[in-house]
């Protein structure tokens, strides 16, 4: 194995535990700072162990140069326990191969620690301490090899090789620190992006709540505006509807607490009966706007498997959008038609309102896209999610300033 292969192998021994630390940090984003520090201490000590146990180093001086890389990282992360343990390990390693190094290395690593206490631990001057540590280590190595000539080491290693050692040591320090710091920056950036995405989902959920609560409240307001407390017929007719809309509002609030998942509670229901309920609840709004309502709902019982309140929410939202798109005139209408095609029911709601332009029609299902002054752009998005959760489709077609047609296709319950 040549010199550069040996160097690469030992660099891998140094970097491998630190890269595992970054992966652990990325995977467990929520762990506390104390746990993070313990993992870092373990990885630094593991780096030292791997390179001392399995590293292929040609001489003690190169060994000590490599060992100082995890030590420098321990200093930069202010891990006092790792600093002390790694410093003692390096001193013991020196003593093992040449006892005459013992006192000198103790003094040397004590000086590093004093510099750390004076220049970095309090002031956190990252670049200054890194520069001082590397320069002092290079000087210390030069003193060992060239001035002291301990154990005739100078005779065994040429000047050019020593210079290569020192240059590579500086390069490896910069490389390892760069990889570690950039890795942490990438992880933190990813965490920030995920937090922003989570915040976006929260905002989207709040918009959905606002939009969907407006519908039942608007229905309640419409009935209350027409409500005559002295009219017993009004009480019998309007109060159950108002109570139903209030219950639907409470259901919406409860369901939207879990904003990451749209809850669908399916049961067997008569879709035509549901559409009849939608017609009854929307009648006051249509009468108030003087809009003709044309119903072509089949009276035959047709069963589907779905969430009654969610589907009701979709159809009320479609009718409400049609009402808002219609400019009151004598021939204004909203027409609802149903028909069965094989194992699917088609519900078509059509109006002769202002229509939708081709550009808006292409974007109509995008979240937050709206042409209304006070719209949230989430009504159609939520309706689409609900229908798709029922294994159905919702199709919008329109001609600008002429008409709009919404077709909802739902699978029928197998007999």
């Amino acid at each position: 194995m040549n010199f550069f292969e040996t160097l690469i192998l030992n660099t891998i021994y140094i970097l491998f535990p630190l890269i595992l630390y970054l992966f652990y940090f990325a995977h467990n984003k929520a762990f506390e700072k104390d746990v993070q520090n313990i993992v870092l201490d373990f990885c630094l000590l593991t780096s030292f162990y791997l390179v001392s146990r399995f590293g292929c180093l040609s001489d003690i001086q190169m060994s000590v140069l490599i060992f100082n890389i995890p030590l420098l990282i321990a200093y930069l992360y202010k891990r006092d326990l790792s600093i002390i343990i790694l410093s003692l390990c390096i001193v013991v390693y020196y003593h093992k191969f040449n006892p005459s190094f013992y006192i000198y290395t103790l003094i040397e690593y004590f000086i590093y620690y004093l510099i750390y206490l004076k220049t970095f631990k309090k002031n956190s001057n990252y670049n200054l301490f890194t520069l001082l540590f590397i320069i002092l280590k290079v000087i210390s190595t030069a003193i060992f090899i060239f001035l002291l000539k301990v154990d005739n080491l100078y005779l065994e290693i040429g000047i050019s090789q020593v210079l290569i050692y020192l240059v590579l040591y500086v390069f490896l320090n910069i490389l390892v620190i760069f990889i570690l710091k950039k890795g942490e920056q990438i992880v933190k950036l990813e965490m920030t992006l995920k937090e922003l995405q989570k915040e976006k989902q929260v905002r989207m959920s709040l918009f959905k709540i606002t939009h969907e609560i407006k519908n039942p409240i608007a229905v309640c307001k419409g009935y209350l505006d027409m409500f005559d407390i002295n009219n017993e017929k009004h009480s019998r007719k309007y109060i159950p509807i108002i109570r139903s809309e209030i219950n639907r509002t409470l259901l919406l609030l409860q369901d939207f607490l879990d904003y990451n998942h749209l809850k669908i509670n399916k049961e067997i229901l008569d879709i035509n009966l549901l559409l009849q309920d939608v017609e009854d609840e929307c009648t006051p709004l249509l009468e108030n706007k003087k809009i003709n309502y044309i119903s072509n709902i089949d009276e035959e019982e047709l069963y589907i498997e779905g969430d009654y309140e969610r589907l009701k929410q979709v159809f009320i939202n479609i009718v409400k959008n049609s009402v808002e798109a219609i400019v009151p005139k004598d021939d204004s209408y909203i027409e609802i038609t149903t028909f069965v095609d094989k194992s699917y029911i088609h519900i078509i709601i059509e109006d002769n309102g202002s229509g939708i332009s081709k550009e808006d029609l292409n974007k109509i299902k995008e979240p937050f896209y709206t042409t209304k002054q006070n719209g949230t752009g989430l009504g159609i998005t939520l309706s689409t999610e609900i229908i798709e959760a029922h294994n159905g489709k919702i199709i919008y077609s329109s001609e600008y300033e002429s008409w709009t047609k919404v077709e909802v296709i739902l699978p029928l319950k197998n007999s």
Side-chain angles (χ1 to χ4, degrees):
M1 186 179 293
N2 61 38
F3 173 77
F4 288 102
E5 288 176 339
T6 301
L7 188 66
I8 291 171
L9 183 61
N10 286 284
T11 303
I12 293 172
Y13 286 143
I14 293 291
L15 280 173
F16 180 70
L18 298 176
I19 291 173
L20 290 180
Y21 161 75
L22 290 176
F23 275 110
Y24 185 69
F25 181 44
H27 181 69
N28 300 277
K29 299 176 288 297
F31 63 62
E32 296 180 357
K33 188 69 175 176
D34 291 342
V35 178
Q36 180 184 337
N37 288 334
I38 291 172
V39 174
L40 179 60
D41 289 337
F42 175 79
C43 290
L44 291 172
L45 295 174
T46 303
S47 291
F48 177 84
Y49 173 77
L50 289 175
V51 78
S52 63
R53 178 67 177 82
F54 302 105
C56 303
L57 298 168
S58 57
D59 55 75
I60 183 177
Q61 196 56 48
M62 187 59 185
S63 300
V64 177
L65 283 173
I66 294 292
F67 293 164
N68 278 273
I69 296 175
L71 177 61
L72 176 57
I73 294 172
Y75 273 119
L76 295 178
Y77 281 83
K78 300 181 180 181
R79 303 304 306 140
D80 288 15
L81 180 61
S82 291
I83 291 169
I84 295 171
I85 294 175
L86 288 171
S87 298
L88 291 175
C89 288
I90 295 172
V91 171
V92 170
Y93 192 89
Y94 260 121
H95 184 267
K96 178 181 177 181
F97 286 92
N98 196 320
S100 61
F101 288 1
Y102 184 63
I103 300 299
Y104 186 89
T105 50
L106 270 177
I107 296 172
E108 177 188 355
Y109 285 91
F110 181 71
I111 291 173
Y112 291 147
Y113 194 72
L114 287 179
I115 294 172
Y116 161 71
L117 294 176
K118 295 294 183 181
T119 65
F120 185 63
K121 189 166 185 179
K122 293 181 179 180
N123 300 326
S124 296
N125 196 328
Y126 179 93
N127 294 326
L128 176 62
F129 179 79
T130 304
L131 183 63
L132 287 175
F133 186 93
I134 294 175
I135 290 175
L136 288 175
K137 191 62 216 174
V138 170
I139 293 173
S140 169
T141 303
I143 291 173
F144 270 125
I145 296 176
F146 296 116
L147 299 181
L148 298 180
K149 299 181 183 180
V150 178
D151 289 343
N152 295 322
L153 190 60
Y154 173 73
L155 299 176
E156 298 177 10
I157 304 176
I159 296 176
S160 60
Q161 189 173 351
V162 171
L163 292 176
I164 290 173
Y165 280 177
L166 296 177
V167 170
L168 287 175
Y169 166 69
V170 174
F171 172 76
L172 285 178
N173 272 289
I174 295 172
L175 176 65
V176 172
I177 293 171
F178 175 81
I179 291 174
L180 188 59
K181 288 296 182 182
K182 284 297 178 183
E184 282 194 340
Q185 289 176 7
I186 292 170
V187 170
K188 289 177 180 178
L189 178 61
E190 179 67 17
M191 290 169 61
T192 301
L193 291 175
K194 287 186 177 180
E195 287 297 320
L196 290 174
Q197 182 65 27
K198 184 177 179 181
E199 183 180 343
K200 179 181 176 180
Q201 290 176 340
V202 172
R203 289 201 306 269
M204 186 171 182
S205 293
L206 292 175
F207 274 122
K208 286 182 178 180
I209 294 171
T210 303
H211 184 277
E212 294 308 318
I213 286 179
K214 283 197 307 184
N215 287 337
I217 290 178
V219 173
C220 290
K221 183 179 183 300
Y223 279 104
L224 288 173
D225 288 342
M226 297 185 297
F227 191 83
D228 182 359
I229 59 174
N230 298 318
N231 190 326
E232 185 178 346
K233 184 178 178 181
H234 281 196
S235 298
R236 288 196 304 269
K237 182 178 179 180
Y238 296 157
I239 288 179
I241 297 175
I242 293 172
R243 182 184 292 112
S244 173
E245 290 302 307
I246 291 173
N247 288 334
R248 189 158 70 90
T249 303
L250 294 174
L251 176 64
L252 285 170
L253 288 172
Q254 180 63 38
D255 286 349
F256 277 115
L257 290 176
D258 184 4
Y259 60 84
N260 283 323
H261 179 64
L262 181 65
K263 292 181 179 178
I264 300 294
N265 299 315
K266 292 183 179 180
E267 59 182 3
I268 298 175
L269 57 91
D270 182 356
I271 184 64
N272 286 331
L273 181 61
L274 184 149
L275 294 173
Q276 189 62 54
D277 284 349
V278 171
E279 180 182 340
D280 291 341
E281 293 198 16
C282 292
T283 297
L285 184 62
L286 296 167
E287 290 177 350
N288 186 46
K289 295 287 185 177
K290 297 181 180 179
I291 298 172
N292 298 313
Y293 185 80
I294 305 169
S295 177
N296 299 313
I297 299 175
D298 195 336
E299 295 182 359
E300 181 184 355
E301 294 180 349
L302 293 174
Y303 292 98
I304 67 168
E305 192 172 10
D307 188 318
Y308 192 92
E309 292 298 331
R310 287 298 190 187
L311 291 173
K312 185 176 177 182
Q313 173 185 351
V314 169
F315 292 115
I316 288 177
N317 187 65
I318 294 172
V319 173
K320 183 172 177 290
N321 285 342
S322 294
V323 170
E324 291 176 352
I326 291 176
V327 177
K329 52 186 178 181
D330 293 338
D331 61 346
S332 298
Y333 73 88
I334 294 176
E335 182 177 7
I336 181 167
T337 304
T338 64
F339 69 89
V340 175
D341 179 21
K342 296 181 181 179
S343 58
Y344 291 87
I345 181 170
H346 296 245
I347 302 106
I348 300 173
I349 301 173
E350 187 173 358
D351 67 69
N352 62 343
S354 57
I356 306 170
S357 67
K358 289 184 178 180
E359 181 183 355
D360 291 333
L361 196 61
N362 292 331
K363 299 179 180 179
I364 199 169
K365 292 184 180 181
E366 294 180 7
F368 304 110
Y369 185 81
T370 181
T371 57
K372 300 177 185 178
Q373 185 176 358
N374 298 318
T376 62
L378 286 169
I380 293 175
T381 302
L382 183 58
S383 296
T384 302
E385 289 179 6
I386 293 171
I387 296 301
E388 289 178 350
H390 286 79
N391 302 316
K393 294 181 182 179
I394 183 167
I395 303 169
Y396 288 83
S397 55
S398 182
E399 183 176 324
Y400 187 58
E401 295 185 348
S402 182
W403 55 267
T404 297
K405 181 171 71 175
V406 183
E407 183 175 5
V408 178
I409 306 172
L410 292 169
L412 292 170
K413 178 66 177 175
N414 293 332
S415 59

